[in-house]
Amino acid sequence: MNLPNPAQAQSIQKIIKERRPKPWVIYAEMTAPVYRSRLSIRGQTSKPAQLASSSQFDPKHTMHSSLNRIQSVFGFFTTVALVVSALAAISVIFFPADDANASVQLKNVSVAKGRPHYYSTKREEYAQLRFDLDADLSPLFNWNTKQLFVYVYATYSSSDIPGSQARLSESIIWDTIIPATPSPYSWDILKDKVIARLPSSVTSQAVSAAKRNAKRHAKSVKAKKSKKEPLAPGVLRLRGQKGKYQISDITGRLAQRQNVTLHVGWNVQPWVGALLWAPGTGAVPRTAGTIVNSEPFDFPEVKDNEKAAAEKRAKEAEKRTKEAENAEKAGQANV
């Protein structure tokens, strides 16, 4: 096969380049049938020959509207968000938190008679408790943990009859919410950093207040670090903690109830996924961990009754002492 010389090759390339259609020519040929069909529909042309036939219309070359494009982008975004959320919720199953532990012990208990709440309509017996709590729930925090709800509750017999086999009642006496440590790229942190750098002349009163709050928050964080407090959330060391809520019963009587026990429970609220419960509480799914309950104890008598009983015992002792003294005096007189 004879190859063309350089001069022939250049002439061939020139011919191909001249015969190659230009991009704007291709676009004009593609859009001309559609444009002519629109003009015919609007009544701007009456020549049937100018109408584009259905065979000349190619759907591949049609332009999508802005609404269609927005819908496509939003649909793709929601699909990606759902897939990522599902992966985040499922990934927690492969990394269970087994090292969480909590222990609670009774410090003091008292039973009084009165109105336990401002909306109570009658006087009834209610119990107030103090307890010691040691808990390390930091293993429950991971990339999918939003906050942790911790609570202490008491279980006691639902019947005031000693030895009754009635179902136990449960009453929460204390609770708290422990939020997860905010990410340095979270909205609140970034907002505080931006507001702190803005000059006061261009900020409004609300922005100035937010700026002061950001500075106050930074000072509190520095103070906490200077005290060498644990940075990991979920560590609780409470001594003599007073319960937030009193214990009352529908019968109105709590004194001398037996086998009362304090327990610790928690709920792990994730960013996405199911709510997790502590072992032995709530429903499935549950987290692992070790919980040490308090030793069983009994509710004492009502404070007023205890005081009256003590006064009665003191009067009886004083009466016996006087009787003994009178007996001695009578014996000496007889001698």
Side-chain angles (χ1 to χ4, degrees):
M1 181 177 180
N2 296 328
L3 297 175
N5 53 34
Q8 293 177 348
Q10 290 180 0
S11 61
I12 293 172
Q13 291 179 359
K14 185 177 180 180
I15 294 171
I16 294 173
K17 187 175 181 181
E18 291 176 354
R19 293 184 178 181
R20 182 183 300 170
K22 302 296 186 293
W24 54 86
V25 176
I26 297 175
Y27 179 78
E29 292 178 355
M30 290 168 50
T31 57
V34 179
Y35 180 71
R36 286 196 296 269
S37 63
R38 291 179 180 176
L39 291 179
S40 63
I41 293 173
R42 294 176 183 176
Q44 297 182 8
T45 179
S46 59
K47 296 181 180 180
Q50 294 180 356
L51 295 177
S53 61
S54 60
S55 60
Q56 294 177 341
F57 181 75
D58 189 0
K60 295 181 180 179
H61 301 296
T62 58
M63 300 292 291
H64 292 288
S65 63
S66 300
L67 181 60
N68 291 338
R69 294 181 180 182
I70 293 173
Q71 289 177 347
S72 300
V73 173
F74 182 75
F76 180 74
F77 168 75
T78 53
T79 303
V80 173
L82 289 175
V83 171
V84 173
S85 300
L87 293 177
I90 296 174
S91 62
V92 181
I93 301 176
F94 301 100
F95 299 93
D98 301 333
D99 299 332
N101 60 83
S103 174
V104 61
Q105 295 297 330
L106 178 68
K107 186 72 174 180
N108 186 22
V109 58
S110 61
V111 178
K113 189 171 184 179
R115 292 183 174 85
H117 311 286
Y118 68 91
Y119 51 82
S120 300
T121 58
K122 63 178 182 179
R123 292 170 56 85
E124 57 182 328
E125 297 177 1
Y126 61 93
Q128 293 178 332
L129 293 89
R130 289 182 178 271
F131 59 90
D132 297 338
L133 176 62
D134 294 316
D136 184 7
L137 308 179
S138 55
L140 299 176
F141 287 89
N142 51 45
W143 57 90
N144 194 30
T145 301
K146 181 180 180 181
Q147 60 187 11
L148 185 65
F149 180 72
V150 186
Y151 56 94
V152 177
Y153 64 99
T155 59
Y156 59 94
S157 176
S158 301
S159 176
D160 55 354
I161 301 175
S164 175
Q165 300 297 326
R167 185 178 178 180
L168 297 178
S169 297
E170 298 181 357
S171 180
I172 294 178
I173 63 173
W174 180 85
D175 58 13
T176 186
I177 296 177
I178 306 175
T181 303
S183 170
Y185 302 101
S186 62
W187 168 251
D188 294 334
I189 300 298
L190 294 177
K191 182 182 67 175
D192 293 342
K193 289 182 179 179
V194 172
I195 292 176
R197 294 182 179 181
L198 293 177
S200 302
S201 58
V202 297
T203 57
S204 60
Q205 295 181 356
V207 177
S208 300
K211 188 175 180 179
R212 290 193 297 270
N213 293 335
K215 291 182 179 179
R216 192 180 300 110
H217 177 70
K219 290 181 180 179
S220 63
V221 171
K222 290 182 180 179
K224 289 182 179 180
K225 289 183 178 180
S226 62
K227 293 180 181 179
K228 297 182 180 180
E229 294 185 359
L231 299 178
V235 179
L236 299 175
R237 298 288 184 267
L238 304 179
R239 294 293 178 269
Q241 177 65 41
K242 183 180 179 181
K244 292 183 179 180
Y245 318 106
Q246 299 89 359
I247 300 178
S248 59
D249 193 73
I250 191 172
T251 60
R253 297 184 299 274
L254 273 180
Q256 298 181 348
R257 293 283 180 96
Q258 300 177 352
N259 296 328
V260 185
T261 310
L262 296 181
H263 307 262
V264 183
W266 59 75
N267 294 117
V268 181
Q269 182 178 356
W271 289 104
V272 289
L275 183 71
L276 303 178
W277 293 78
T281 62
V284 179
R286 297 187 179 94
T287 64
T290 304
I291 300 177
V292 179
N293 303 326
S294 69
E295 297 180 357
F297 60 93
D298 300 338
F299 283 137
E301 295 182 355
V302 183
K303 282 184 177 181
D304 297 340
N305 294 343
E306 289 182 353
K307 186 177 180 180
E311 292 178 355
K312 184 178 180 180
R313 288 193 296 269
K315 289 181 180 180
E316 290 179 353
E318 185 179 357
K319 184 178 180 180
R320 287 194 296 268
T321 303
K322 289 183 179 181
E323 290 178 353
E325 291 178 355
N326 294 334
E328 290 180 359
K329 290 180 180 179
Q332 292 176 0
N334 293 331
V335 172

